[in-house]
Amino acid sequence: MPQPSAPIQIARLRQPIGLLIGTALGAALLTPGLAAEPAPFELTGPDLKVSVTRGTASLPISQVPSLRAGDKLLIEPNLPKEQGANFVLMSAFLRGATNPPPKDWIDSAETWKKKDKDRRLALTVPDGARQMVLFLVPETGGGEGTVSDAVRGKPGEFVRATQELNQASLDRSRLDAFMTAIRTQENSHPEFLRSVAPALARSLSMKLNEDCLSKVIELQAACLLENKDQLVLADVHSSSIAETLSGTPTDLALQLASTREAGYGYYSPYIGVVRDLARMFGAFSSPSFEYLPTVSLRRDDNIGLMLNKAPSFAKPKSVMVVGMPSIEADSPPRLRSGAQAPICAALPGTVLPVEGAPLIYSTSYARGMTVQLKAASGQAIEYPLEARADRGGYVIRADGPWPADFRGSIEAHVYGQWGFDRFEGPDYILQRPDDAAWQVKGEAPTLVVGRDNGLTLTGGAPACVESVTLRQGNAAPQAIGWKVQGRDALDLTLPLADRRAGPVTVDVKYQGVAKPFSVALRAYAPASKLDGLTVHQGDAWGEMTGQRLDQVASVDLGGRSWKPDGLTRDGSVDRLRLTAAGEGGVPAEGASARVQLEDGRTVSVPVTIAPARPRVTLLNKSVTPAAATGLPVTLGGSDVLPNNGRLVFSVQAQDGTKLAMTDAIEVATQDGGASVRLTAGSGLQLQGPQVMVATLDPTALGPAFGPLQFRIVRGREQGDWQPLMPLARLPRIEAVDCAGKEQKDQGCTIKGRDLFLVDAVAGNPAFDQPAPVAQGFTGSTLTVPAPTDGKLYVRLRDAQGAMLVVQAPSPAA
């Protein structure tokens, strides 16, 4: 009698579970309620020989990423001649979790038979099939019926098992590729493991045990090979989905799951689902059979089976379960170019970096990969490619030198086969040195000693530049850095800070070319370039534009001496503010000024007399205090704007200025730390061409305080700053307690918040004998003198002339 089915927890299979490399997909069926650590797949099982024919083409199973309806499969055992146990080879096509397959979708062959037609399976993938699974069943007589009943009774479990076994085999291929490359490197150049191992991990989407690479060279490979439990597949199995999708530690969406068979569309769990599969197969166990998962190692037309448990040939006998490729349309990975710029192909073994599919390194799905090269002349050639995980891409395998036409920039396209279908890869721009000289791009810049100078050179193959040096006279050549710009340019920075004026030479050397290309240039001594001086009518300052204006010592204009008052740089243009000293007039339009340079030279500069800048004066202002918080207070003394109030002020045009709707008023603190611009419809109203009214909410200035200033702004022209009024922050006074009349000399106590804003408190308006408040005061109460007229007078720190008047309670009798 078959054993009762145990609960099957397929739902857990959809959860991302961490994977330690070497962990196995299968585990021995455990006593219900118990759990054990899964064993690794390290036992070698039997081999199968499988080929697939589609139309007129036939491929070994290792080159078939997925099957398709109508494909013809030839499956036969590859058992040793001395094989002592007989196996029945069974196949089953599945068509979904809720749709049991018909009986004729399940077939079998007796592998011990002499005739080929009896010992192997010749199958055609039926329409509607979605998965395929193989079984190696020990000969018992009638065992095929038991397996067939299990498959047709609960097809969903075998659908999931097939997917997981196929996924485990693909991930195992990545591990094997990594381990093989590490062993190869150890045997050839172990000193390069520190750089090769991370490249392998990136290509194969794996995470390294970094501690191994910090060991001495002789121990690095042994650490990486022996500590398999420290190697984690860098995908959803070893990190959360959130980490994976954010790019840490690798690009899962385009690498692991770039093909359906590499992730079954989304994120497939891996070996961490051991216990669920153990329960699954345990559900079908009987006194005669138990089910044993296998991991497939596919090489050419051979499937080598790896077991995590020795099979049993005594009851219950072990049925080995083999996952086959899914049945669906091929979906090749979207390979991306890993190159951010043209690639130099001057030396043999050029690498075309690719991103997007670790399976190109660990499987034979991508085959016949080729690069097609097209020269500027239109000539085309093709070379085969070799996938190299340790180098991060495809290596071009050229038997001899490239044709002469292939110089400068070359277009490259990668293509091949993915299974039975054509596989299109990315495009690249390759470059090889040519005989064209390097030249300065555009008009040669004026190089000036005493500072660094930018320079752009153009040539045929900037990606192949090996070095750039600067020479002058008999001095030793100086290496300089460069950046490749586009397909034909190098951006350089020439270090001329310590050079003298005169000829200089830039040498550009290509990889593999002995003689460099030389570009002759000249460096000049720095000198001021004076474009002009602009002065607005009525102003006592002006602005000079040009270059190297730091050499200007003074300017003589209109009988007055104008001195430098601030230099700014606007791109390649210097702007020097000049302020006039003494009395004098402004000359007429077209006059020139005499400029005295720091080195003693005197030069002329043209002067532009511009119209007067807009001018206004403050006409009126009024302050509206905000609703009181705490005790009612009165703000008296000098003009002051409380930070919780509102200011309305008006300005009047002067000196022929006519106001317009496009004008603006800028209000700022005196130190320029905070400012706000009032415009029409946003705090500014035009009364007429002579008067403008502005409304200021001080909160727009942020946490500002102190004297405020304003100016009119018209396009790029600004008027002079003018004082407006102080902005003061107010403390919050919540209560005042005063002693009785007989203790009048004990004074009063002020309670409140932000009392550090108070400078001093007095009991009379003359401010005799005030009580000062210490700097940085943090308390909430102040002891102050008793009032003489029933009021306390509070002087503010932000506006020393402003005073808060607080009504004190009458003292008790």
Side-chain angles (χ1 to χ4, degrees):
M1 293 285 293
Q3 297 292 331
S5 298
I8 301 173
Q9 301 181 11
I10 297 300
R12 288 182 53 193
L13 294 173
R14 301 186 183 277
Q15 302 300 320
I17 303 174
L19 161 67
L20 295 179
I21 296 299
T23 305
L25 224 182
L29 181 62
L30 306 175
T31 303
L34 297 180
E37 290 299 319
F41 281 85
E42 294 181 349
L43 298 177
T44 302
D47 292 354
L48 298 174
K49 186 176 180 181
V50 182
S51 62
V52 181
T53 300
R54 183 176 299 171
T56 60
S58 294
L59 293 178
I61 188 62
S62 63
Q63 296 180 3
V64 180
S66 61
L67 301 173
R68 185 182 299 175
D71 284 353
K72 298 184 182 301
L73 289 87
L74 187 62
I75 307 170
E76 58 182 311
N78 191 12
L79 302 174
K81 293 181 180 180
E82 63 274 12
Q83 175 70 30
N86 292 335
F87 289 100
V88 176
L89 174 62
M90 293 189 63
S91 66
F93 292 104
L94 305 169
R95 57 183 180 185
T98 61
N99 194 1
K103 289 183 178 181
D104 60 359
W105 281 19
I106 301 174
D107 207 343
S108 63
E110 298 174 335
T111 62
W112 63 91
K113 297 294 186 179
K114 297 295 184 181
K115 294 182 178 180
D116 287 344
K117 67 181 183 65
D118 297 326
R119 62 188 301 270
R120 66 189 185 187
L121 294 173
L123 308 171
T124 299
V125 179
D127 289 336
R130 297 172 61 185
Q131 287 86 26
M132 180 182 180
V133 62
L134 299 178
F135 302 93
L136 283 173
V137 185
E139 180 195 10
T140 59
E144 299 95 313
T146 303
V147 175
S148 177
D149 290 343
V151 172
R152 299 185 72 246
K154 290 191 176 181
E157 278 77 351
F158 283 95
V159 167
R160 173 58 67 181
T162 302
Q163 293 174 339
E164 300 304 338
L165 291 172
N166 190 38
Q167 176 64 48
S169 298
L170 293 173
D171 285 345
R172 174 61 182 258
S173 72
R174 292 195 288 155
L175 172 61
D176 287 351
F178 178 84
M179 306 301 274
T180 299
I182 291 295
R183 291 189 183 98
T184 301
Q185 190 67 41
E186 181 188 22
N187 294 334
S188 57
H189 296 286
E191 66 274 15
F192 297 140
L193 268 177
R194 184 172 282 109
S195 59
V196 170
L200 285 169
R202 285 192 299 270
S203 296
L204 294 165
S205 296
M206 300 177 70
K207 185 177 180 182
L208 287 178
N209 176 8
E210 299 291 347
D211 292 340
C212 291
L213 299 180
S214 64
K215 297 180 181 295
V216 296
I217 292 175
E218 293 76 11
L219 299 179
Q220 290 175 7
C223 175
L224 291 172
L225 295 177
E226 294 174 6
N227 293 278
K228 292 182 181 180
D229 58 339
Q230 298 300 313
L231 275 173
V232 180
L233 280 184
D235 56 27
V236 73
H237 316 303
S238 61
S239 60
S240 71
I241 287 180
E243 290 175 329
T244 302
L245 294 183
S246 65
T248 304
T250 191
D251 186 357
L252 168 72
L254 291 177
Q255 290 195 30
L256 182 65
S258 60
T259 62
R260 290 284 303 276
E261 62 274 12
Y264 285 90
Y266 299 99
Y267 309 101
S268 173
Y270 185 50
I271 294 176
V273 300
V274 168
R275 294 186 180 90
D276 295 294
L277 287 176
R279 293 190 188 97
M280 178 191 304
F281 292 128
F284 305 113
S285 295
S286 68
S288 299
F289 293 123
E290 67 173 358
Y291 291 85
L292 187 62
T294 66
V295 167
S296 302
L297 303 183
R298 300 166 189 170
R299 297 289 184 271
D300 297 325
D301 62 354
N302 189 74
I303 297 180
L305 303 182
M306 299 299 294
L307 312 176
N308 73 315
K309 175 185 176 183
S312 172
F313 295 97
K315 290 187 178 182
K317 296 183 179 182
S318 298
V319 175
M320 286 174 275
V321 184
V322 184
M324 292 289 284
S326 59
I327 303 170
E328 60 189 358
D330 281 344
S331 178
R334 295 185 180 92
L335 283 183
R336 306 189 311 274
S337 167
Q340 305 300 318
I343 300 171
C344 180
L347 303 177
T350 300
V351 177
L352 304 180
V354 295
E355 300 173 352
L359 293 183
I360 67 172
Y361 304 108
S362 63
T363 71
S364 301
Y365 294 160
R367 59 189 179 85
M369 298 305 294
T370 303
V371 61
Q372 183 184 67
L373 306 177
K374 183 180 293 186
S377 64
Q379 182 181 356
I381 56 173
E382 293 186 348
Y383 289 123
L385 298 174
E386 177 188 0
R388 289 285 299 271
D390 58 334
R391 300 187 66 181
Y394 284 110
V395 176
I396 299 177
R397 294 302 183 195
D399 295 334
W402 293 21
D405 277 4
F406 288 83
R407 295 288 186 268
S409 291
I410 305 163
E411 296 179 357
H413 175 68
V414 172
Y415 74 94
Q417 295 290 126
W418 183 263
F420 288 95
D421 299 330
R422 183 177 172 92
F423 179 32
E424 300 294 343
D427 295 321
Y428 300 87
I429 296 298
L430 307 186
Q431 292 186 340
R432 289 169 58 83
D434 57 14
D435 298 329
W438 282 85
Q439 299 178 342
V440 176
K441 183 177 181 180
E443 184 179 350
T446 300
L447 304 180
V448 179
V449 298
R451 62 185 179 183
D452 292 344
N453 291 249
L455 181 69
T456 300
L457 299 180
T458 59
C464 293
V465 170
E466 183 178 78
S467 65
V468 181
T469 55
L470 177 68
R471 291 186 293 115
Q472 186 176 44
N474 296 324
Q478 180 181 358
I480 59 177
W482 75 91
K483 290 183 180 179
V484 175
Q485 189 71 26
R487 292 192 182 189
D488 65 348
L490 289 180
D491 281 348
L492 312 176
T493 299
L494 303 185
L496 301 180
D498 299 323
R499 298 281 177 171
R500 65 181 185 277
V504 294
T505 302
V506 175
D507 292 328
V508 180
K509 184 181 182 303
Y510 280 133
Q511 298 178 25
V513 179
K515 185 178 180 181
F517 291 91
S518 298
V519 181
L521 303 166
R522 174 171 290 276
Y524 296 90
S528 296
K529 178 178 178 294
L530 310 179
D531 294 333
L533 172 62
T534 300
V535 179
H536 288 273
Q537 291 181 358
D539 284 347
W541 65 273
E543 183 181 77
M544 181 183 294
T545 58
Q547 293 178 340
R548 293 306 306 267
L549 299 187
D550 55 326
Q551 299 298 310
V552 175
S554 64
V555 176
D556 181 17
L557 174 63
R560 304 167 74 181
S561 178
W562 300 62
K563 297 292 185 182
D565 189 23
L567 175 66
T568 59
R569 286 187 169 86
D570 183 7
S572 61
V573 177
D574 289 356
R575 297 184 181 276
L576 179 65
R577 179 184 172 98
L578 296 165
T579 302
E583 297 294 332
V586 176
E589 180 74 27
S592 63
R594 300 293 297 172
V595 179
Q596 185 78 26
L597 301 179
E598 293 285 356
D599 60 7
R601 291 178 293 170
T602 301
V603 294
S604 297
V605 61
V607 178
T608 299
I609 307 300
R613 291 180 297 114
R615 301 180 188 276
V616 295
T617 57
L618 187 63
L619 184 61
N620 203 348
K621 58 185 176 182
S622 61
V623 174
T624 303
T629 57
L631 288 181
V633 297
T634 302
L635 183 61
S638 66
D639 263 351
V640 64
L641 172 63
N643 64 337
N644 60 357
R646 188 182 72 159
L647 171 65
V648 179
F649 64 98
S650 58
V651 297
Q652 186 172 30
Q654 299 290 322
D655 299 335
T657 298
K658 290 186 177 181
L659 302 176
M661 292 288 292
T662 55
D663 292 337
I665 295 291
E666 186 176 3
V667 179
T669 54
Q670 203 166 57
D671 59 3
S675 66
V676 62
R677 181 167 291 193
L678 307 177
T679 59
S682 181
L684 197 62
Q685 297 184 69
L686 185 65
Q687 177 181 306
Q690 294 297 313
V691 176
M692 188 176 283
V693 179
T695 302
L696 174 66
D697 181 355
T699 59
L701 292 166
F705 61 91
L708 298 180
Q709 56 185 353
F710 78 96
R711 67 180 178 183
I712 186 171
V713 179
R714 175 174 290 172
R716 297 187 61 181
E717 299 290 344
Q718 300 95 23
D720 294 326
W721 285 110
Q722 300 181 59
L724 185 56
M725 67 189 318
L727 173 63
R729 298 166 295 174
L730 303 184
R732 177 172 176 171
I733 298 176
E734 297 174 341
V736 177
D737 295 329
C738 295
K741 290 182 178 180
E742 63 277 6
Q743 294 94 20
K744 187 175 181 180
D745 57 345
Q746 295 182 7
C748 299
T749 299
I750 292 178
K751 298 179 181 179
R753 292 163 49 188
D754 299 336
L755 298 182
F756 63 88
L757 297 174
V758 176
D759 180 61
V761 182
N764 56 74
F767 227 75
D768 297 331
Q769 298 180 338
V773 178
Q775 293 282 351
F777 180 74
T778 59
S780 59
T781 61
L782 290 173
T783 301
V784 300
T788 59
D789 58 357
K791 299 177 182 178
L792 291 175
Y793 297 87
V794 180
R795 188 168 63 203
L796 301 176
R797 290 192 189 278
D798 293 348
Q800 295 288 311
M803 193 174 298
L804 286 179
V805 180
V806 184
Q807 185 68 44
S810 300

